[in-house]
Amino acid sequence: MTSTQRRLCSLALLLAWLPSASARAADDLPSWNDGPNKRAILDFVSRVTTAGSPDFVRPQDRLATFDNDGTLWCEQPNYVQAFFLIDRVRALADQHPEWKTKEPFAALLKGDMKAAVSGGEHGIADVVSATHAGMTTDQFEKLVTDWLATARHPRFKRPFTACVYQPMLELLIYLRSKGFTTFIVSGGGIDFMRPWTNRVYGIPTQQVVGSSIKAKFQARNGGFEIERLPQIDFVDNGPGKPLGIQRFIGRRPIAAFGNSDGDLQMLQWTTAASGARLGLIVHHTDAEREYAYDRKSPVGTLDVALDQAPERGWVVVDMKSDWKTIFPPAAP
Amino acid sequence: MTSTQRRLCSLALLLAWLPSASARAADDLPSWNDGPNKRAILDFVSRVTTAGSPDFVRPQDRLATFDNDGTLWCEQPNYVQAFFLIDRVRALADQHPEWKTKEPFAALLKGDMKAAVSGGEHGIADVVSATHAGMTTDQFEKLVTDWLATARHPRFKRPFTACVYQPMLELLIYLRSKGFTTFIVSGGGIDFMRPWTNRVYGIPTQQVVGSSIKAKFQARNGGFEIERLPQIDFVDNGPGKPLGIQRFIGRRPIAAFGNSDGDLQMLQWTTAASGARLGLIVHHTDAEREYAYDRKSPVGTLDVALDQAPERGWVVVDMKSDWKTIFPPAAP
């Protein structure tokens, strides 16, 4: 490029970019009400991205981890994966007449999740094995995709993937525009999330960490497949979250976002280190527009993490007052 | 941007970019000799990246997986991690006088790797437990980094991280310039690779898949740490490679690069699917500049995969004739 070309181009780009850049800076998080919580997010991002700032972090080290259930999408009145599981049990019930009298299958067939989980983790493991295993990874992906296309949230009457939080979608986009790499670190099934996280959150499969069952590689019919086995491999929840981060991501994030005690250790691991750190809890305080729950909730219990938030400097988002809107506009 | 600005800018950019683009296209892989293998790589990349091509693949789906030992860096006369392990055993020997008579430790202290591995996997697991566990992840990372800074390859007398293959470094950069995401999928220890893969290969920690031991999250001295436990968690080799790909990456790659039967299933999984696929084997044929080995080699055995290459259409790189240079220039 000659110097004349360079000057022409710089001028043209400057004229073109200035207005749009300032318009964007005006509000990167339009669904967040102004207040200390929004300012804490903007201030953290400014400190780690401003060259020369004592808290500056290189783009390659700007890692942010997000819980999914209750942090990015609605987890009430039950985890979305629980609705999927119940529908799978119903779909398979004809092949398993014994389920009518065998718990926790019998309770699930009646849609009684509370009774179903009362038998403890062992029973739930049986159900996961029966509904999530015994098929290839490709077959499972299709089941999830097909189910999400037709299933609807019982209260909001829209697809579960439309019951995601608009303010959090904006936060994901904002962080990526500032050089962050965004990850999901969820207690949910890793293969239940991956078919749709890129479309819905802009997070590709390789940036999704979750719970998993074991699998087996095998040759079959002249091709190859990965068969899902009825055995829990890894539970990415509670103390499992820092371990999942270490195993999949390999470094400590500088920002973590959660909403329940299942995120406690991820928040601890992320923020108890030198340099600028952001820990954030979505506190569900809005029974009218979404749900209000914390310490006593059977799903998404927030108790210990809420107590630790002040001393550890975690931002506690008050959904009712901090968020202008909860969900994205309904699809036309 | 006004239309005048747009025209000025387009013109400036066109004039500036044309020459450099054609210069780069002249040879993206300068250390590769012209021939059918280099052409097969360039042709594959062209087909999957040309808009309108029947084999076009969206950038987000351009995933390429690379074995490490023998594919990206030298694995002879032994795996680099074996040299590390021997040095760890030596460093810890004073605290373990019993190792002088206990196999495989006694053999390792004499530097006799052949005798050490003759006891089978159980013995090696004992050594891995003794040398790779019982410390935090931060401590292990420091051990690896410090060791690599001073250890030298016994024949080439340079750091192991300088015994990487220049043609493969060019291939990594070339693929990324074409929108690919590059991953390591190695039988080696995941935490042994991550401290240096970004610096050496441009591959960040979250794109490194490897073998692992179990770990534990714990509070300690007012902070938190992840303790490495003496128990194998996952072996990312052979049929473990497609499983590692599924678990960590979550989708099938469209290109895979290996050099041994440990990569057989990764190559099968990658290439036995519809659409354009590239499988490539680095065949070590150059005893003069590096090493010549395949079917009978105790390290990096290449036998079944070499037999399957023709029928499966895998490119078999002949190191001696395909590569102009093996290693990068020595640091000044």
Side-chain angles (χ1 to χ4, degrees):
Chain A
M1 214 183 215
T2 67
S3 65
T4 311
Q5 286 161 4
R6 218 166 17 233
R7 245 173 288 142
L8 286 174
C9 188
S10 303
L11 185 69
L13 289 173
L14 194 69
L15 290 169
W17 283 1
L18 267 179
S20 70
S22 64
R24 233 192 74 224
D27 202 345
D28 285 305
L29 302 172
S31 297
W32 292 71
N33 283 313
D34 287 330
N37 288 337
K38 180 173 182 173
R39 279 200 299 276
I41 296 169
L42 295 173
D43 174 62
F44 166 78
V45 172
S46 169
R47 282 187 293 137
V48 298
T49 59
T50 303
S53 153
D55 291 325
F56 180 76
V57 175
R58 298 175 305 172
Q60 70 237 51
D61 296 325
R62 292 179 200 156
L63 309 182
T65 54
F66 289 79
D67 170 55
N68 185 40
D69 296 305
T71 299
L72 294 179
W73 76 353
C74 182
E75 66 181 351
Q76 299 291 353
N78 211 331
Y79 298 118
V80 179
Q81 198 166 355
F83 288 110
F84 170 75
L85 190 146
I86 290 169
D87 283 352
R88 288 304 308 149
V89 167
R90 286 178 177 152
L92 295 168
D94 279 353
Q95 300 164 42
H96 295 275
E98 76 279 11
W99 285 357
K100 279 190 198 118
T101 53
K102 186 184 173 188
E103 294 299 349
F105 296 93
L108 287 172
L109 285 171
K110 291 178 211 133
D112 187 347
M113 183 54 76
K114 197 180 277 185
V117 300
S118 67
E121 279 186 24
H122 185 71
I124 291 301
D126 285 348
V127 180
V128 170
S129 295
T131 56
H132 285 59
M135 66 192 89
T136 70
T137 47
D138 286 348
Q139 287 164 341
F140 184 73
E141 179 176 338
K142 186 171 164 14
L143 279 180
V144 172
T145 303
D146 290 350
W147 181 80
L148 281 172
T150 57
R152 291 293 178 271
H153 188 279
R155 174 175 160 196
F156 302 115
K157 313 291 182 202
R158 45 160 71 192
F160 289 104
T161 49
C163 298
V164 295
Y165 304 130
Q166 176 66 22
M168 298 304 284
L169 297 181
E170 292 169 6
L171 186 52
L172 285 167
I173 292 168
Y174 171 58
L175 289 174
R176 290 194 293 260
S177 80
K178 295 294 184 180
F180 280 76
T181 307
T182 52
F183 296 85
I184 288 174
V185 177
S186 167
I190 193 166
D191 295 324
F192 183 73
M193 297 183 283
R194 280 171 162 169
W196 53 271
T197 53
N198 198 47
R199 176 174 59 82
V200 176
Y201 301 137
I203 297 181
T205 55
Q206 67 267 27
Q207 287 158 224
V208 177
V209 181
S211 299
S212 56
I213 59 176
K214 288 193 183 289
K216 192 173 109 181
F217 177 77
Q218 58 197 19
R220 193 164 173 178
N221 300 333
F224 301 94
E225 62 183 30
I226 294 177
E227 173 90 5
R228 294 168 58 83
L229 301 180
Q231 196 184 344
I232 302 287
D233 183 35
F234 176 61
V235 178
D236 188 51
N237 201 35
K241 288 206 177 190
L243 299 179
I245 288 169
Q246 176 65 24
R247 177 57 56 241
F248 284 71
I249 305 174
R251 284 174 291 161
R252 218 189 271 232
I254 64 167
F257 304 83
N259 79 297
S260 80
D261 284 357
D263 304 309
L264 174 67
Q265 290 86 351
M266 173 168 77
L267 288 161
Q268 291 173 333
W269 179 239
T270 302
T271 60
S274 59
R277 306 275 160 167
L278 177 64
L280 184 149
I281 292 172
V282 174
H283 191 190
H284 293 261
T285 51
D286 196 332
E288 201 173 314
R289 294 185 300 171
E290 203 239 10
Y291 294 90
Y293 60 99
D294 47 31
R295 298 180 193 275
K296 308 276 185 193
S297 174
V299 169
T301 316
L302 173 64
D303 187 22
V304 182
L306 194 58
D307 287 337
Q308 292 197 4
E311 68 195 82
R312 298 202 180 274
W314 298 336
V315 172
V316 180
V317 168
D318 180 338
M319 184 179 268
K320 190 169 182 175
S321 63
D322 280 325
W323 288 2
K324 284 183 196 162
T325 55
I326 306 291
F327 300 127
Chain B
M1 213 182 215
T2 68
S3 65
T4 312
Q5 285 161 4
R6 221 169 10 238
R7 247 173 286 143
L8 285 175
C9 190
S10 303
L11 185 70
L13 289 173
L14 193 70
L15 290 169
W17 283 1
L18 269 178
S20 70
S22 64
R24 235 192 73 225
D27 202 344
D28 283 305
L29 302 172
S31 297
W32 292 71
N33 283 314
D34 288 331
N37 288 338
K38 181 174 181 172
R39 279 199 299 275
I41 296 169
L42 295 173
D43 175 63
F44 166 78
V45 172
S46 169
R47 282 188 292 138
V48 298
T49 59
T50 302
S53 154
D55 291 324
F56 179 76
V57 176
R58 299 175 305 171
Q60 70 237 51
D61 296 326
R62 293 178 198 157
L63 308 182
T65 55
F66 289 80
D67 169 56
N68 184 40
D69 297 305
T71 298
L72 294 179
W73 76 351
C74 182
E75 66 181 351
Q76 299 291 353
N78 210 331
Y79 299 118
V80 179
Q81 199 167 356
F83 287 111
F84 170 76
L85 190 146
I86 290 170
D87 283 351
R88 287 305 307 150
V89 167
R90 285 180 178 151
L92 295 168
D94 280 353
Q95 300 164 42
H96 295 275
E98 75 279 10
W99 285 357
K100 279 191 197 117
T101 54
K102 186 184 175 191
E103 293 301 347
F105 295 94
L108 287 172
L109 285 171
K110 290 178 211 133
D112 187 347
M113 185 53 78
K114 197 179 277 184
V117 299
S118 67
E121 278 186 24
H122 185 69
I124 291 301
D126 285 347
V127 180
V128 169
S129 295
T131 57
H132 286 57
M135 67 192 89
T136 70
T137 47
D138 286 347
Q139 287 165 340
F140 185 72
E141 179 177 338
K142 185 170 163 15
L143 279 180
V144 172
T145 304
D146 290 350
W147 181 80
L148 282 171
T150 56
R152 293 293 178 272
H153 188 280
R155 174 175 159 197
F156 301 116
K157 313 293 183 201
R158 45 160 73 194
F160 289 104
T161 49
C163 298
V164 294
Y165 304 131
Q166 176 65 22
M168 298 303 284
L169 297 181
E170 292 169 6
L171 186 52
L172 286 168
I173 292 168
Y174 171 58
L175 289 174
R176 290 195 294 259
S177 80
K178 295 294 184 180
F180 280 77
T181 306
T182 52
F183 296 85
I184 289 174
V185 177
S186 167
I190 194 166
D191 294 324
F192 183 73
M193 297 183 282
R194 281 170 161 170
W196 52 271
T197 53
N198 198 47
R199 177 173 58 84
V200 174
Y201 301 136
I203 298 180
T205 55
Q206 66 268 29
Q207 287 158 224
V208 177
V209 181
S211 299
S212 56
I213 59 177
K214 289 193 183 290
K216 192 173 110 183
F217 177 76
Q218 58 195 20
R220 192 164 173 178
N221 299 332
F224 301 95
E225 62 183 31
I226 294 178
E227 173 89 5
R228 294 169 58 82
L229 301 179
Q231 197 184 343
I232 303 288
D233 183 36
F234 176 61
V235 177
D236 188 52
N237 202 35
K241 289 205 177 193
L243 298 180
I245 288 169
Q246 177 65 24
R247 178 56 56 242
F248 283 72
I249 304 174
R251 285 174 292 161
R252 221 189 269 234
I254 64 167
F257 304 83
N259 78 296
S260 79
D261 284 357
D263 305 309
L264 173 66
Q265 290 86 351
M266 173 169 78
L267 288 161
Q268 291 172 333
W269 179 239
T270 302
T271 61
S274 60
R277 304 277 160 166
L278 177 64
L280 184 147
I281 292 172
V282 175
H283 191 190
H284 293 261
T285 52
D286 196 331
E288 201 172 316
R289 294 187 300 173
E290 203 242 10
Y291 293 90
Y293 60 99
D294 48 34
R295 297 180 194 276
K296 308 276 185 193
S297 174
V299 170
T301 314
L302 173 65
D303 188 25
V304 182
L306 194 59
D307 288 338
Q308 293 197 4
E311 69 195 79
R312 298 201 180 273
W314 299 336
V315 172
V316 179
V317 168
D318 180 336
M319 184 180 269
K320 191 170 181 173
S321 63
D322 280 325
W323 287 2
K324 284 183 197 163
T325 55
I326 307 292
F327 301 126

